Amino acid sequence: MLPRPTDGVVCADCWRRVARITPPLCDACGAPLAADPAAADAALPCRRCPAGPAPPGALERCRAAGWYDGALGAIIQAFKYQGRQSLAAPLAALMREAGRELLDAADLVVPVPLHPRRRWERGFNQSRDLAARLGPPLADILLRIRHAPPQATLPAGRRQANVQGAFELTGRAWLRAGAVVAGKTIVVADDVLTTGATLAACARVLRAAGAREIYGLTAARVADRPPRQRPRPPRAPAARRPPTATRAAAPGAGSSP
Protein backbone atom coordinates (compact mmCIF):
# COMPACT_ATOMS: atom_id res chain seq x y z
CA MET A 1 0.00 0.00 0.00
CA LEU A 2 1.28 3.46 -0.85
CA PRO A 3 2.08 5.55 2.25
CA ARG A 4 0.76 8.71 0.47
CA PRO A 5 -1.55 7.54 -2.33
CA THR A 6 -2.52 11.07 -3.36
CA ASP A 7 1.10 11.78 -4.37
CA GLY A 8 0.95 9.31 -7.29
CA VAL A 9 0.94 5.64 -8.20
CA VAL A 10 4.64 5.20 -7.38
CA CYS A 11 6.02 5.91 -3.92
CA ALA A 12 8.93 8.25 -3.29
CA ASP A 13 11.12 5.38 -2.14
CA CYS A 14 10.72 3.63 -5.52
CA TRP A 15 11.72 6.80 -7.37
CA ARG A 16 14.80 7.06 -5.15
CA ARG A 17 15.75 3.50 -6.06
CA VAL A 18 15.83 4.24 -9.81
CA ALA A 19 19.32 3.34 -11.06
CA ARG A 20 20.49 6.42 -12.97
CA ILE A 21 23.02 6.37 -15.81
CA THR A 22 25.67 8.86 -14.81
CA PRO A 23 28.92 10.20 -16.37
CA PRO A 24 31.44 9.44 -17.62
CA LEU A 25 29.54 8.43 -20.76
CA CYS A 26 30.37 7.70 -24.36
CA ASP A 27 29.60 10.95 -26.14
CA ALA A 28 27.99 9.07 -29.03
CA CYS A 29 25.85 6.20 -27.70
CA GLY A 30 25.64 7.31 -24.05
CA ALA A 31 26.96 4.05 -22.62
CA PRO A 32 28.93 4.40 -19.39
CA LEU A 33 32.70 4.49 -19.72
CA ALA A 34 34.99 2.59 -17.41
CA ALA A 35 37.32 5.55 -16.91
CA ASP A 36 36.89 9.30 -16.85
CA PRO A 37 37.80 10.56 -20.37
CA ALA A 38 38.27 14.17 -19.21
CA ALA A 39 42.02 13.77 -18.98
CA ALA A 40 42.28 12.85 -22.67
CA ASP A 41 39.25 13.87 -24.67
CA ALA A 42 35.87 14.93 -23.29
CA ALA A 43 34.15 13.70 -26.46
CA LEU A 44 35.78 10.28 -26.40
CA PRO A 45 33.57 7.53 -27.87
CA CYS A 46 33.44 4.03 -26.49
CA ARG A 47 35.09 1.12 -28.28
CA ARG A 48 31.88 0.20 -30.09
CA CYS A 49 31.30 3.66 -31.59
CA PRO A 50 33.39 4.78 -34.57
CA ALA A 51 35.04 8.18 -34.37
CA GLY A 52 33.96 10.81 -36.89
CA PRO A 53 30.57 11.58 -38.49
CA ALA A 54 27.67 9.24 -37.79
CA PRO A 55 27.08 6.67 -40.56
CA PRO A 56 23.78 6.75 -42.50
CA GLY A 57 20.89 5.76 -40.27
CA ALA A 58 22.83 6.28 -37.06
CA LEU A 59 22.20 8.90 -34.43
CA GLU A 60 24.86 11.44 -33.62
CA ARG A 61 24.24 11.14 -29.89
CA CYS A 62 22.01 9.12 -27.58
CA ARG A 63 21.14 9.36 -23.90
CA ALA A 64 18.97 7.45 -21.43
CA ALA A 65 17.90 8.42 -17.93
CA GLY A 66 18.35 5.08 -16.16
CA TRP A 67 18.68 1.33 -16.39
CA TYR A 68 15.68 -0.74 -17.39
CA ASP A 69 15.61 -2.99 -14.37
CA GLY A 70 14.53 -2.84 -10.77
CA ALA A 71 12.42 0.18 -9.88
CA LEU A 72 12.61 1.93 -13.26
CA GLY A 73 11.70 -1.23 -15.15
CA ALA A 74 8.61 -1.70 -12.97
CA ILE A 75 7.62 1.96 -13.36
CA ILE A 76 7.86 1.87 -17.16
CA GLN A 77 5.89 -1.37 -17.35
CA ALA A 78 3.13 0.19 -15.24
CA PHE A 79 3.16 3.27 -17.47
CA LYS A 80 3.21 1.36 -20.75
CA TYR A 81 1.10 -1.73 -20.12
CA GLN A 82 -1.18 -0.72 -17.25
CA GLY A 83 -2.21 2.65 -18.64
CA ARG A 84 -0.65 4.70 -15.81
CA GLN A 85 -0.30 7.82 -17.96
CA SER A 86 0.30 10.03 -14.93
CA LEU A 87 3.81 8.53 -14.85
CA ALA A 88 4.70 10.33 -18.09
CA ALA A 89 5.47 13.60 -16.26
CA PRO A 90 8.01 12.24 -13.73
CA LEU A 91 9.60 9.98 -16.37
CA ALA A 92 9.96 12.94 -18.73
CA ALA A 93 11.58 14.90 -15.90
CA LEU A 94 14.25 12.20 -15.64
CA MET A 95 14.74 12.37 -19.41
CA ARG A 96 15.11 16.15 -19.37
CA GLU A 97 17.82 15.85 -16.74
CA ALA A 98 19.71 13.13 -18.61
CA GLY A 99 19.34 14.74 -22.05
CA ARG A 100 19.66 18.43 -21.23
CA GLU A 101 22.44 19.06 -23.76
CA LEU A 102 20.53 17.28 -26.52
CA LEU A 103 17.28 19.10 -25.81
CA ASP A 104 18.98 22.50 -25.61
CA ALA A 105 20.30 21.98 -29.15
CA ALA A 106 17.07 20.53 -30.59
CA ASP A 107 14.63 22.25 -32.93
CA LEU A 108 12.04 19.48 -32.65
CA VAL A 109 11.18 16.38 -30.63
CA VAL A 110 9.75 13.50 -32.66
CA PRO A 111 8.13 10.57 -30.82
CA VAL A 112 8.55 7.02 -32.08
CA PRO A 113 5.10 6.24 -33.50
CA LEU A 114 2.96 3.18 -32.82
CA HIS A 115 1.15 1.31 -35.55
CA PRO A 116 -2.52 2.39 -35.54
CA ARG A 117 -3.63 -1.08 -34.46
CA ARG A 118 -1.32 -1.09 -31.44
CA ARG A 119 -2.22 2.51 -30.66
CA TRP A 120 -5.88 1.47 -30.57
CA GLU A 121 -5.13 -1.57 -28.40
CA ARG A 122 -3.05 0.38 -25.87
CA GLY A 123 -5.14 3.53 -25.93
CA PHE A 124 -2.16 5.90 -26.11
CA ASN A 125 1.39 6.17 -27.42
CA GLN A 126 3.73 6.20 -24.45
CA SER A 127 6.53 7.76 -26.51
CA ARG A 128 4.35 10.70 -27.48
CA ASP A 129 3.30 11.27 -23.86
CA LEU A 130 7.00 11.51 -22.94
CA ALA A 131 8.01 13.62 -25.95
CA ALA A 132 5.29 16.18 -25.28
CA ARG A 133 6.88 16.97 -21.90
CA LEU A 134 10.52 17.34 -22.95
CA GLY A 135 10.48 21.05 -23.85
CA PRO A 136 11.20 21.59 -27.58
CA PRO A 137 8.27 21.69 -30.01
CA LEU A 138 6.60 18.32 -30.58
CA ALA A 139 6.40 17.14 -34.20
CA ASP A 140 4.21 14.13 -35.07
CA ILE A 141 5.82 13.64 -38.45
CA LEU A 142 6.46 9.89 -38.48
CA LEU A 143 4.05 7.05 -39.20
CA ARG A 144 4.50 3.37 -38.50
CA ILE A 145 3.23 1.74 -41.67
CA ARG A 146 3.98 -1.90 -40.96
CA HIS A 147 2.47 -3.87 -38.10
CA ALA A 148 5.09 -6.17 -36.60
CA PRO A 149 5.75 -8.02 -33.35
CA PRO A 150 6.84 -5.78 -30.46
CA GLN A 151 10.60 -5.40 -30.27
CA ALA A 152 10.60 -6.59 -26.66
CA THR A 153 9.38 -10.04 -27.77
CA LEU A 154 12.25 -10.59 -30.22
CA PRO A 155 15.89 -11.61 -29.76
CA ALA A 156 18.44 -8.89 -30.48
CA GLY A 157 19.44 -10.41 -33.82
CA ARG A 158 15.94 -10.01 -35.29
CA ARG A 159 15.12 -6.49 -34.15
CA GLN A 160 16.89 -4.69 -36.99
CA ALA A 161 14.89 -6.59 -39.63
CA ASN A 162 11.68 -6.17 -37.65
CA VAL A 163 11.73 -2.37 -38.06
CA GLN A 164 13.27 -2.24 -41.53
CA GLY A 165 11.00 -0.04 -43.66
CA ALA A 166 8.48 0.27 -40.82
CA PHE A 167 8.43 4.10 -40.70
CA GLU A 168 7.80 6.94 -43.11
CA LEU A 169 6.98 10.63 -42.96
CA THR A 170 3.34 11.58 -42.64
CA GLY A 171 1.71 12.83 -45.81
CA ARG A 172 1.68 16.43 -44.64
CA ALA A 173 5.29 16.27 -43.44
CA TRP A 174 6.37 14.70 -46.73
CA LEU A 175 4.94 17.60 -48.70
CA ARG A 176 6.60 20.09 -46.34
CA ALA A 177 9.77 18.09 -45.61
CA GLY A 178 11.98 20.97 -46.66
CA ALA A 179 10.41 23.27 -44.07
CA VAL A 180 9.71 20.74 -41.31
CA VAL A 181 12.83 18.55 -41.32
CA ALA A 182 15.59 19.88 -43.57
CA GLY A 183 18.45 21.47 -41.68
CA LYS A 184 16.87 20.76 -38.30
CA THR A 185 18.33 19.13 -35.21
CA ILE A 186 15.84 16.52 -34.04
CA VAL A 187 15.53 14.45 -30.86
CA VAL A 188 13.75 11.12 -31.36
CA ALA A 189 12.06 10.13 -28.09
CA ASP A 190 11.12 6.64 -26.93
CA ASP A 191 10.59 4.83 -23.65
CA VAL A 192 13.30 2.14 -23.73
CA LEU A 193 16.54 1.68 -25.68
CA THR A 194 17.58 -1.94 -26.18
CA THR A 195 19.61 -2.45 -29.35
CA GLY A 196 18.83 0.98 -30.84
CA ALA A 197 17.19 -0.57 -33.93
CA THR A 198 13.94 1.40 -33.59
CA LEU A 199 15.65 4.75 -33.09
CA ALA A 200 17.97 4.04 -36.04
CA ALA A 201 15.03 3.17 -38.31
CA CYS A 202 13.38 6.49 -37.46
CA ALA A 203 16.68 8.31 -37.97
CA ARG A 204 17.05 6.91 -41.50
CA VAL A 205 13.71 8.41 -42.53
CA LEU A 206 14.48 11.78 -40.97
CA ARG A 207 17.96 11.92 -42.47
CA ALA A 208 16.59 11.11 -45.93
CA ALA A 209 14.27 14.11 -45.50
CA GLY A 210 17.23 16.40 -44.81
CA ALA A 211 17.61 16.50 -41.02
CA ARG A 212 20.97 17.97 -40.01
CA GLU A 213 21.54 16.10 -36.74
CA ILE A 214 19.48 13.42 -35.03
CA TYR A 215 19.70 12.50 -31.36
CA GLY A 216 17.99 9.75 -29.37
CA LEU A 217 16.58 10.15 -25.86
CA THR A 218 14.86 7.46 -23.81
CA ALA A 219 13.65 7.00 -20.25
CA ALA A 220 15.59 3.75 -19.84
CA ARG A 221 18.30 1.64 -21.38
CA VAL A 222 18.64 -2.14 -21.23
CA ALA A 223 22.01 -3.13 -19.79
CA ASP A 224 24.33 -4.96 -22.16
CA ARG A 225 24.68 -8.59 -21.21
CA PRO A 226 27.73 -10.72 -21.94
CA PRO A 227 27.18 -13.33 -24.63
CA ARG A 228 25.81 -16.58 -23.31
CA GLN A 229 28.48 -19.23 -23.19
CA ARG A 230 27.74 -22.73 -24.34
CA PRO A 231 27.83 -25.20 -21.47
CA ARG A 232 30.88 -27.37 -21.50
CA PRO A 233 30.22 -31.06 -22.09
CA PRO A 234 30.64 -33.07 -18.90
CA ARG A 235 33.96 -34.76 -18.53
CA ALA A 236 34.01 -38.51 -18.93
CA PRO A 237 34.68 -40.16 -15.59
CA ALA A 238 38.28 -41.25 -15.22
CA ALA A 239 38.86 -44.99 -15.60
CA ARG A 240 39.44 -46.58 -12.25
CA ARG A 241 42.69 -48.43 -11.96
CA PRO A 242 42.57 -51.97 -10.58
CA PRO A 243 43.99 -52.16 -7.08
CA THR A 244 47.62 -53.23 -6.98
CA ALA A 245 48.72 -56.14 -4.83
CA THR A 246 50.80 -55.14 -1.83
CA ARG A 247 53.17 -57.23 0.20
CA ALA A 248 52.22 -58.01 3.76
CA ALA A 249 54.04 -55.84 6.21
CA ALA A 250 56.77 -57.49 8.29
CA PRO A 251 55.78 -58.16 11.86
CA GLY A 252 56.78 -55.40 14.12
CA ALA A 253 59.18 -55.80 17.05
CA GLY A 254 57.62 -57.66 19.94
CA SER A 255 54.70 -58.92 17.92
CA SER A 256 53.57 -62.47 17.97
CA PRO A 257 54.52 -64.64 15.00
Side-chain angles (χ1 to χ4, degrees):
M1 181 179 294
L2 290 169
R4 301 177 63 183
T6 57
D7 288 349
V9 297
V10 177
C11 69
D13 185 55
C14 287
W15 286 113
R16 283 192 292 269
R17 286 191 282 114
V18 167
R20 306 286 191 93
I21 298 176
T22 57
L25 306 175
C26 169
D27 190 64
C29 73
L33 295 172
D36 189 345
D41 185 355
L44 185 69
C46 67
R47 294 180 179 179
R48 294 174 298 180
C49 293
L59 295 94
E60 275 79 10
R61 303 175 75 188
C62 198
R63 294 291 183 271
W67 295 111
Y68 186 63
D69 59 9
L72 186 56
I75 291 168
I76 291 178
Q77 289 182 30
F79 168 50
K80 187 172 179 177
Y81 300 117
Q82 299 174 21
R84 305 287 190 174
Q85 288 182 260
S86 62
L87 293 173
L91 285 171
L94 294 179
M95 294 170 69
R96 288 195 303 271
E97 182 179 347
R100 185 175 295 112
E101 291 183 25
L102 279 58
L103 294 169
D104 287 346
D107 299 302
L108 302 170
V109 175
V110 175
V112 172
L114 289 178
H115 187 273
R117 186 189 304 177
R118 185 156 292 122
R119 168 68 175 77
W120 178 82
E121 292 170 350
R122 188 169 296 166
F124 70 105
N125 178 2
Q126 75 282 350
S127 299
R128 190 185 191 282
D129 281 18
L130 295 172
R133 293 167 170 81
L134 294 180
L138 178 71
D140 282 314
I141 56 176
L142 288 178
L143 288 175
R144 185 156 192 159
I145 58 175
R146 184 163 59 79
H147 187 65
Q151 292 285 81
T153 65
L154 300 175
R158 292 182 54 194
R159 296 187 180 193
Q160 188 76 30
N162 191 52
V163 293
Q164 187 71 32
F167 303 101
E168 68 177 22
L169 288 177
T170 63
R172 182 177 300 177
W174 180 259
L175 292 175
R176 300 175 54 237
V180 176
V181 179
K184 299 294 195 302
T185 296
I186 297 175
V187 169
V188 181
D190 204 0
D191 56 338
V192 180
L193 169 69
T194 305
T195 63
T198 299
L199 293 177
C202 293
R204 281 191 290 271
V205 175
L206 296 169
R207 199 173 299 281
R212 182 171 65 89
E213 288 192 322
I214 307 169
Y215 306 143
L217 180 58
T218 63
R221 179 188 186 113
V222 174
D224 294 333
R225 292 179 173 83
R228 183 179 298 175
Q229 296 181 349
R230 294 182 180 179
R232 295 181 178 179
R235 292 183 177 180
R240 299 183 62 181
R241 297 180 179 179
T244 56
T246 58
R247 292 188 301 175
S255 60
S256 302

